Amino acid sequence: MTNRLTNGDSKTQAETPGIPDFSRYKVCNSYSVPATDSTSAGGAPDTASQTLQRVSKRQLMEIDSRLGERDRQLLAAVQRYRYLMTGQIRRLLFTDAANSSAGLRAASRSLKKLNGLGLADSLSRRIGGVRAGSSSLIWHITHAGERLLRLRDAKAVPVRRHFEPSPYFLSHTLAVAETAIRLMEICREHESEITALQLEPECWRPYSSAGVTCSLKPDLYAAAMSEEYEDRYFMEVDLDTESPAKIIEKCRKYHAYYRSGLEQEASEMFPLTVWIVPDAARKATLIRQMKEAFDKQAKLFAVITCDELEHLIREGGDRETLC
């Protein structure tokens, strides 16, 4: 089983929507009810959320008895992705609805229920403003919601202290979630199977370089099975906010991890690292910089735009994107 990358011509997938332009997630305002696990994601702790009346374990057990399996799946998904828009939740969990409108209504009803029980909440702003409708609301799990999940799963993510997220953190988190959901949609539409999907920090890889313990921190790890192929990917979602020098610095960490041999020893192959960028100009810049920096070294990277993800997953992509 190997990763594949073909020389085939790039095709326009007119019949299937691609990933929305990541620029739509470049939020200009901060938000009032955060759910992150690090001060690096924003500013001071959200003291308002810390002073809410504490819900007892007995109360949580009573609330849990009122939830259905779909409610718990939704709550776990919001916790896993940190933030999700209503429309993303519809595409993630309500794919059995008669149509997208019915799925959106069902997702909104479930979210309203969880919100009423104090388990999930939406941010004070939304992507695209009020005109974008309910699908643009951004949801996060509450402290009570996290504690409720731990009633049934002791291995659930530890309860996080809430911090207000920076605009970049929120934008990037939504874009990574969009990439993961789009991966699942592509595989579902073309009868492929997602065999692994790891978000941060599960996808991080520890290694040693020059005697120093390091950690490779991709945004996402995914493996997809199609016929005789299993393709594996580390994915980096780029919003064109970092200088090319910063990107090259992170690429050097991938080469160091590659030289460690740890991934190959564990899984007999090294995943292709896919940089997903917002436009063709950014793509050309990063390809040029990477080829200059890693000339005559192993080609570990592919740089693609958002709408080229389906071509990569279905047909292996194009060799000129390798660097």
Side-chain angles (χ1 to χ4, degrees):
M1 295 181 290
T2 58
N3 273 60
R4 57 207 159 93
L5 202 77
T6 69
N7 280 312
D9 295 333
S10 178
K11 298 181 180 179
T12 301
Q13 304 296 338
E15 70 278 8
T16 304
I19 296 176
D21 181 0
F22 286 161
S23 64
R24 65 180 291 205
Y25 298 121
K26 291 184 179 179
V27 185
C28 296
N29 300 306
S30 59
Y31 296 82
S32 60
V33 189
T36 70
D37 56 2
S38 171
T39 53
S40 64
D46 180 14
T47 54
S49 68
Q50 305 303 315
T51 57
L52 295 176
Q53 182 177 359
R54 187 174 179 85
V55 180
S56 70
K57 183 176 181 180
R58 182 175 180 178
Q59 289 173 310
L60 285 176
M61 293 177 68
E62 192 278 328
I63 292 173
D64 183 62
S65 69
R66 297 161 62 184
L67 300 182
E69 187 59 32
R70 179 70 64 86
D71 297 323
R72 295 188 186 91
Q73 290 175 354
L74 196 163
L75 202 59
V78 175
Q79 181 192 48
R80 185 185 187 200
Y81 287 91
R82 291 195 175 110
Y83 295 101
L84 284 173
M85 295 161 60
T86 309
Q88 292 176 320
I89 291 169
R90 189 271 300 175
R91 291 159 53 209
L92 187 64
L93 293 174
F94 294 84
T95 57
D96 55 349
N99 52 56
S100 60
S101 296
L104 186 61
R105 289 194 296 271
S108 296
R109 285 195 299 270
S110 293
L111 287 163
K112 184 178 180 180
K113 175 182 177 180
L114 294 176
N115 178 252
L117 292 171
L119 304 177
D121 201 0
S122 61
L123 300 179
S124 58
R125 302 290 180 89
R126 63 181 79 194
I127 297 295
V130 175
R131 291 185 180 181
S134 62
S135 65
S136 65
L137 285 171
I138 304 169
W139 294 87
H140 67 91
I141 193 170
T142 64
H143 182 82
E146 290 185 325
R147 288 179 57 220
L148 183 139
L149 288 178
R150 290 183 65 81
L151 290 177
R152 291 174 173 263
D153 182 7
K155 296 181 180 179
V157 176
V159 175
R160 304 184 182 107
R161 191 180 183 190
H162 296 286
F163 290 84
E164 182 165 347
S166 69
Y168 172 76
F169 181 88
L170 183 60
S171 302
H172 188 256
T173 300
L174 289 172
V176 172
E178 181 65 28
T179 301
I181 293 168
R182 187 65 191 127
L183 273 170
M184 287 183 271
E185 289 177 331
I186 291 168
C187 289
R188 184 167 60 245
E189 291 162 5
H190 301 289
E191 299 182 351
S192 300
E193 179 187 359
I194 293 282
T195 54
L197 185 64
Q198 298 174 352
L199 301 170
E200 295 183 282
E202 184 185 4
C203 64
W204 294 355
R205 302 291 198 266
Y207 67 100
S208 178
S209 178
V212 177
T213 301
C214 306
S215 183
L216 181 72
K217 297 182 178 181
D219 293 328
L220 187 69
Y221 168 80
M225 177 71 75
S226 178
E227 298 178 354
E228 73 273 23
Y229 295 105
E230 183 179 55
D231 296 326
R232 301 176 187 176
Y233 309 97
F234 290 127
M235 292 194 167
E236 294 282 355
V237 178
D238 172 67
L239 298 183
D240 197 3
T241 55
E242 298 283 358
S243 68
K246 285 282 188 182
I247 302 297
I248 295 301
E249 181 181 337
K250 186 159 190 180
C251 287
R252 295 191 193 282
K253 295 180 180 179
Y254 277 98
H255 274 279
Y257 181 57
Y258 172 76
R259 290 192 297 270
S260 77
L262 293 172
E263 192 78 18
Q264 300 91 313
E265 181 180 347
S267 60
E268 300 182 350
M269 63 179 293
F270 194 83
L272 179 68
T273 300
V274 181
W275 288 86
I276 304 177
V277 300
D279 53 52
R282 179 69 166 179
K283 172 183 173 180
T285 296
L286 292 191
I287 288 178
R288 183 180 67 256
Q289 296 273 350
M290 290 180 189
K291 286 185 174 180
E292 291 175 357
F294 305 109
D295 184 37
K296 298 180 181 179
Q297 296 189 53
K299 296 184 182 299
L300 303 183
F301 314 109
V303 184
I304 64 172
T305 57
C306 312
D307 57 3
E308 293 173 325
L309 180 62
E310 182 171 0
H311 178 55
L312 174 74
I313 301 301
R314 289 185 63 189
E315 303 177 45
D318 301 315
R319 287 197 176 277
E320 59 264 26
T321 67
L322 277 178
C323 44

